[in-house]
Amino acid sequence: QMQLVQSGPEVKKPGTSVKVSCKASGFTFSSSEIQWVRQARGQRLEWMGWIVVGSGTTNFAQKFQERVTITRDLATSTAYMELSSLTSEDTAVFYCAAGGSYSDFDYWGQGTLVTVSS
Amino acid sequence: EIVLTQSPATLSLSPGERATLSCRASQSVSAYLAWFQQKPGQAPRLLIYDVSNRATGIPARFSGSGSGTDFTLTISSLEPEDFAVYYCQHRSTWPLSWTFGQGTKVEIK
């Protein structure tokens, strides 16, 4: 059974960074692509970027390009999203998602709440 | 960048009624148009991919249609578990990126 399990909630101060993990199981991680999506409270879903796990190739939304890093660890089947220079606008739930037979977002992690507060 | 605009923002209906949700793109898009359902405190769930194809396990009461700039998600007869927020999504191939609409909330009248 395909599953994405994300790391727990974080509280960060403005100007710092956060790193969220997404552990995959039930599918061939090295053959997948992992997406990252941000959702502020009551707001729409925003695509942040993705990684082609096998090659490590990444692509980012222009809005986040300067601040986001997406990496992966093949040994542990885990993808990571690091967001720097946090502001209160980054208080949100961050989701990872993986493609499958139908779309690039067939499977989703449970979400990780990041709160940015001084 | 293609912008997806969903309407209405909120749809107030009773169980058993038909729901028609609209997603309009700022320019003509390819066949990659998907719909997701999101319930409070949960991750989104894929309902429809490539405009009109249901994902595994999605009931037949959900259907997608449209082309060009105008797309529709129809729920033929609302069940209690269908009250949620629905998002449309498009993939652009150049530059490679994904865009979501702002969502339509289907609430119990």
Side-chain angles (χ1 to χ4, degrees):
Chain A
Q1 182 184 347
M2 201 160 168
Q3 197 172 13
L4 298 171
V5 178
Q6 298 184 223
S7 48
E10 302 262 12
V11 179
K12 294 292 183 179
K13 293 195 181 300
T16 64
S17 299
V18 67
K19 191 170 186 177
V20 179
S21 68
C22 172
K23 184 172 177 59
S25 61
F27 64 100
T28 305
F29 183 64
S30 59
S31 301
S32 68
E33 295 90 30
I34 301 292
Q35 312 277 354
W36 287 91
V37 174
R38 183 178 82 171
Q39 186 174 39
R41 187 178 182 85
Q43 301 300 308
R44 76 171 73 192
L45 302 159
E46 286 184 284
W47 176 74
M48 300 178 69
W50 79 327
I51 184 165
V52 180
V53 172
S55 65
T57 301
T58 54
N59 189 41
F60 304 108
Q62 193 170 9
K63 177 176 183 176
F64 297 101
Q65 196 155 12
E66 300 294 322
R67 301 196 293 134
V68 68
T69 304
I70 298 176
T71 56
R72 89 293 192 226
D73 182 336
L74 295 175
T76 60
S77 296
T78 303
Y80 299 91
M81 185 281 299
E82 184 169 20
L83 188 63
S84 62
S85 303
L86 293 170
T87 71
S88 58
E89 288 190 2
D90 295 311
T91 293
V93 176
F94 293 81
Y95 293 101
C96 63
S101 302
Y102 305 126
S103 80
D104 302 301
F105 294 80
D106 280 14
Y107 306 100
W108 294 70
Q110 83 276 19
T112 296
L113 175 62
V114 175
T115 302
V116 182
S117 174
S118 55
Chain B
E1 178 183 311
I2 292 176
V3 176
L4 299 178
T5 302
Q6 293 186 239
S7 62
T10 303
L11 201 50
S12 299
L13 295 168
S14 300
E17 290 193 293
R18 182 183 188 90
T20 303
L21 287 66
S22 172
C23 176
R24 178 162 290 178
S26 57
Q27 57 186 281
S28 183
V29 302
S30 65
Y32 189 98
L33 194 290
W35 290 91
F36 294 83
Q37 176 193 67
Q38 188 178 33
K39 297 180 180 179
Q42 296 185 18
R45 177 174 73 143
L46 176 69
L47 297 176
I48 301 288
Y49 65 98
D50 292 348
V51 179
S52 60
N53 297 287
R54 280 188 301 277
T56 299
I58 303 304
R61 64 181 181 271
F62 291 91
S63 64
S65 63
S67 64
T69 60
D70 293 306
F71 300 88
T72 300
L73 174 70
T74 301
I75 311 171
S76 59
S77 179
L78 283 164
E79 296 289 338
E81 62 267 26
D82 299 337
F83 292 92
V85 179
Y86 293 84
Y87 295 95
C88 59
Q89 182 211 46
H90 167 66
R91 179 183 69 191
S92 295
T93 53
W94 187 259
L96 183 60
S97 62
W98 286 261
T99 306
F100 292 88
Q102 83 278 21
T104 290
K105 181 179 182 180
V106 178
E107 65 176 24
I108 300 176
K109 187 173 181 180

